[in-house]
Amino acid sequence: MEGRARSGPALSHLGSTAVEQLVGREAESQAVRAALAGPAPVAVVLEGDAGIGKSALWEAGISEAAARGMRVLAARPVEAETGLSHAALGDLLGAVVDELPGDFPAPQRSALEVALLRKTADAGSLDPRAVGAATLGALRAAAGGAPVLIAVDDIQWLDPASAAAMRFALRRLDGGEPVRLLATRRTQPGAAPLDTGLAHARLTRIAVGPLGSEAVRRMLGSRLGSGDGPRALERVAEVSGGNPYFALELARAASRKERAPAGGAELPLPDEISAILEDRLGELPRETRTALGIVAAMGHPTIMSAAETVDPGVLDPAFEAGILHEAGDAIRFDHPLLAEAAYRMLAPSKRRAAHERLAATASDPEGRARHLAAASTARDASVATAIERGAEAAAERGAPVAAAELLEFSARLEPDPDTAARRRITAVGHHMIAGDGERAAELGRALVDELPPGPLRSRALTAMAEQEGNLTKRIAETEQAVSEAGEDREALVMALLWHAVLLVYAGRHDEGWAAVLRARKLCGPEQPSALQAMTSTIHGYLAYLRGDPDALELVREAASLRGDDLLPTGWSATVILGRILMCADELDEARPILEGQHRKAVELGQDESRDAVSLFLAELEMRAGRLQSARPYAEDRVGASAMLAAYEGNVELAREIAGRGLADSEAADDAIVAAAHRTVLGFVELSLGNDEATLRHFGPTLELFLAGDGGDPGLRHNIIIPDAIESLIALCRTDEAERALGAWERAGKLYDRPRMHATAARCRALMAAAEGDVTGAIGTAELALEHHRDLPVPFERARTLIVLGALHRRAKRKAAARAALEEALAILEQIGVPLWAERARAELRRIGGRAQADGLTPTEQRVADLVAEGRSNKQVAGELFVSVRTVEANLTRVYAKLGIRSRTELAATRQASDGRSRSPVSQPAPPS
């Protein structure tokens, strides 16, 4: 029961009182125990009205966790603390930080120390995602010693910075990591759905409802030893609505009268619970009530801070009445509702006076700023500046919500309109960092509407355009921002850069290119280094999207500039360099670059950057034929998860994800993202052999490519051009196929990439076969295989092998056909691409017969020969580019067909046959 007196902070060592209070809560208690005993990570949230008994269940859950050997990290935030950045995080992780191992990453340790006010931030703002990454690391470190229970009472009062850090950490916990969350949450009309960070399947919500009349009577008897008659207790149960805290307060109010009402008389009790609370507080001396309101205004009072603000003796009646309790060094109200009532009972003038006094004694800029904001009603430049300093302190500690709120307070109190507008523009950025796009848009739109045309409105327009939304609208905003920047060179360059990016996303490459060239010309050495680096980076990036063969060198140059490390990781030239190398199929060079940047983004807690790099790494690993390696990166990226589903043959899932993504991107006029989703949809149809449907999806990309507006041929939506050509050939649309193939071959000469040479030759082989020249087609397909030697993309090699095997079959070369198709099947099975593996099997079935009298297929023969030579299964798998499981399956079939049981017998059998079968096409190198 939430209204119980608490004697100290050691919440994991509760006496029998908590157990006694769980009257009528047997089902809820069992649900908590079951959830805590289940697999981690898991979140258990007790939900119900204020005072309904959530805290008692929470405390019992903590006792259960302690009995199971879990380490409890507890926090009990209150509403007044929601403006104090990382207040709850300090409660949860204060002891953990002291125990962090010596090899704990220095950036994460520093982020925690700054967030928890243990040290001053270095220059610049502390990224809130760095605090999230550090929180994750600290929880994992704590869980290394014992399972961890994060216990939060009244989770709705978590300050936004602590809540963001906790969500960030819980979202990234792997299955089985021994971390659990037990929280209580007050139900409130219109409250947003609770986001704990864990997947919905790992969230257990337990509704804590009203107690029945009998349970209320038993609870009151346990707590108060009430001797009131049954009717009086029945009325208490009725008026309280089964809320234990309200029932206790009602019973206490009745007991304060001279005598309890008898029989059926009405209880002499207040009508509303707020009146009940005020009635309880009204029993205290006036000076005590005033002091209680001041203590409530403090938000996070301690014995020392309260003594500095009010006369400690004045609070004694509140302690004696059980309204206040000491919890270690802290002071806690018996229930948050009491703190709210005490604060609201202060007259407005006394509230402001209290905050003014608290501002004078506050030890940190953010706390002082918050009290100043609550105390001030008139414009005052010095006060506004002090609040701005508090906002800067909040930003440095990775608390963008607090920073944005304080900047808005500062702007309201600032007498100078331009200074106020600049602070509001900065607040827009903090709202965006915090993920509150709705507030950022609302504030940005107000600025755009209020400000006169000029540099300040230019900055506001650019800030608006940086947010997600319809591209056409955002392009218009950046166009207006460019026109209004005037002599503000920095504002103009930023507006031009975003204008350029958005134009290219909309497919208007020439206009975007002109804008970025203008920005580069204007961005001189006097501009901030981060802006210079961003300008060079976007110049190279758009050159790459434009299809400029010099883009790689432009980005290499940008990556070497001072200031590249000041940009968000996802927008750094280093990441774009890795992406361009990946698109050029330089996978071995791109992988360590992107992995390093991914680690950096994770360590710094940069969610958006991490997601962007994850998308590139997912694509890289899919190109490399390593779908399992791609999976962790693809999980949070719609486009990547759709393509992964398509590779794995999950047709309906791929269609559903990509279809939804296509609709969203088309609604936003985002041509590049729309093309990526069409790529997935077209690839699904290609995999199913639906050539007409394939071309419906690939058609827009093919038209852009033929018009010269497709951009770099290695972009994920452009590498389907050969696929479109194959579908055209299959549909006997040879004139269209010839035009597209000619363009692809010309691009291949310009870029000189193995993929382009290999896929062009494969298409040429299909064209020759369509014209009846099977012999010439075989020669061209074998030439394609030569190009595959330099292409670390096994899926494309397997597809060429299928084409070659089919051509050999048409030429009646059964052994060569079988060998090529068996090799293709082995590659496709190894990758895990079932629809294409079935294509290879279908071609094999068309051949018929067996290659050898002993009944072994070519793959079985190769496995048998290598095992007979003494190779291990792992060595055979590496040489044949298949999995160990595939080797084992083939070996089992070999034993059965040859009637043998051991590797020794196999060696003897193969030596007797003295025949090793080899594929007429070279084997691929094993994956790196």
Side-chain angles (χ1 to χ4, degrees), residues 8 24 120 187 199 262 265 277 280 341 373 462 484 503 608 611 623 642 662 772:
T120 304
T187 52
L277 294 168
R280 182 177 178 189
T462 302
E484 294 188 12
L503 285 168
E608 291 182 7
D611 289 349
R623 291 186 183 219
L662 177 60

Side-chain angles (χ1 to χ4, degrees), residues 188-519:
Q188 294 173 305
L194 178 64
D195 179 11
T196 65
L198 289 172
H200 180 73
R202 292 190 174 276
L203 172 62
T204 298
R205 298 172 60 187
I206 300 174
V208 183
L211 290 174
S213 298
E214 180 58 29
V216 170
R217 286 195 293 269
R218 288 163 51 204
M219 182 270 296
L220 292 175
S222 171
R223 283 299 308 274
L224 303 178
S226 177
D228 293 342
R231 176 57 183 155
L233 292 179
E234 185 67 26
R235 283 290 295 139
V236 168
E238 178 185 343
V239 174
S240 71
N243 183 302
Y245 180 76
F246 294 175
L248 278 169
E249 291 303 309
L250 291 165
R252 282 174 176 149
S255 67
R256 287 196 293 269
K257 304 300 180 183
E258 292 186 0
R259 60 183 297 274
E266 291 291 324
L267 289 170
L269 301 173
D271 294 328
E272 301 291 340
I273 191 62
S274 58
I276 297 172
L277 294 168
E278 292 179 9
D279 188 55
R280 182 177 178 189
L281 294 172
E283 298 286 329
L284 301 172
R286 180 186 300 274
E287 61 271 19
T288 301
R289 294 199 303 270
T290 301
L292 277 177
I294 295 171
V295 170
M298 296 175 71
H300 206 91
T302 65
I303 296 171
M304 183 178 296
S305 62
E308 293 173 350
T309 309
V310 300
D311 180 357
V314 173
L315 294 174
D316 286 346
F319 281 101
E320 293 168 2
I323 291 171
L324 288 183
H325 304 281
E326 292 184 3
D329 294 334
I331 294 176
R332 291 285 184 262
F333 281 82
D334 189 49
H335 192 280
L337 288 174
L338 286 168
E340 293 174 16
Y343 181 74
R344 292 171 184 174
M345 287 174 72
L346 285 177
S349 61
K350 290 188 176 181
R351 287 186 204 169
R352 290 192 292 271
H355 284 293
E356 189 173 352
R357 290 173 61 188
L358 292 170
T361 59
S363 59
D364 67 285
E366 185 183 346
R368 180 169 184 262
R370 195 159 291 281
H371 288 303
L372 283 173
S376 303
T377 57
R379 295 185 185 276
D380 186 310
S382 62
V383 171
T385 300
I387 296 175
E388 182 186 29
R389 292 196 190 102
E392 292 168 352
E396 289 171 357
R397 295 180 56 221
V401 173
E405 289 176 350
L406 290 173
L407 280 169
E408 291 192 55
F409 271 124
S410 175
R412 283 197 287 271
L413 296 174
E414 174 57 52
D416 179 61
D418 286 356
T419 302
R422 287 181 180 275
R423 288 172 185 160
R424 292 168 71 195
I425 291 169
T426 307
V428 171
H430 287 303
H431 282 305
M432 291 170 60
I433 292 171
D436 190 353
E438 183 177 351
R439 178 55 186 157
E442 179 184 1
L443 183 56
R445 176 53 56 199
L447 281 161
V448 170
D449 291 342
E450 294 170 14
L451 291 171
L456 277 177
R457 192 164 75 164
S458 171
R459 290 173 180 264
L461 285 163
T462 302
M464 285 288 294
E466 290 180 38
Q467 301 174 58
E468 293 183 359
N470 182 274
L471 268 179
T472 301
K473 179 181 178 183
R474 294 164 70 194
I475 289 170
E477 288 169 340
T478 53
E479 187 172 14
Q480 188 177 352
V482 169
S483 68
E484 294 188 12
E487 300 300 317
D488 188 335
R489 184 70 63 90
E490 184 177 343
L492 178 57
V493 171
M494 283 298 297
L496 283 167
L497 290 176
W498 278 105
H499 191 51
V501 169
L502 296 173
L503 285 168
V504 171
Y505 283 173
R508 295 160 61 179
H509 293 272
D510 289 343
E511 296 173 76
W513 187 243
V516 79
L517 290 180
R518 184 182 171 194

Side-chain angles (χ1 to χ4, degrees), residues 526-547:
E526 74 284 355
Q527 295 298 328
S529 57
L531 184 60
Q532 294 180 52
M534 186 174 185
T535 302
S536 296
T537 298
I538 291 181
H539 179 212
Y541 175 53
L542 297 193
Y544 149 68
L545 293 181
R546 178 183 169 85

Side-chain angles (χ1 to χ4, degrees), residues 871-879 882 884 887:
R871 312 277 182 92
S872 68
N873 288 0
K874 185 176 181 180
Q875 290 171 326
V876 175
E879 183 161 337
V882 296
V884 173
V887 172

Side-chain angles (χ1 to χ4, degrees), residues 145-169:
V148 166
L149 178 69
I150 304 169
V152 182
D153 195 16
D154 275 332
I155 196 170
Q156 75 277 358
W157 298 140
L158 275 180
D159 61 278
S162 295
M166 190 176 73
R167 284 194 300 269
F168 182 99

Side-chain angles (χ1 to χ4, degrees), residues 641-651 654 680 683-684 687 833-836:
S641 60
M643 181 55 86
L644 185 61
Y647 270 118
E648 294 178 336
N650 197 335
V651 172
V680 176
F683 179 76
V684 168
S687 301
V833 193
L835 296 179
W836 289 88

Side-chain angles (χ1 to χ4, degrees), residues 865-900:
D865 290 337
L866 292 171
V867 170
E869 290 179 358
R871 312 277 182 92
S872 68
N873 288 0
K874 185 176 181 180
Q875 290 171 326
V876 175
E879 183 161 337
L880 297 184
F881 191 38
V882 296
S883 67
V884 173
R885 183 176 297 178
T886 299
V887 172
E888 292 170 347
N890 277 280
L891 198 54
T892 299
R893 291 193 293 270
V894 168
Y895 285 174
K897 290 178 180 180
L898 299 183
I900 59 178

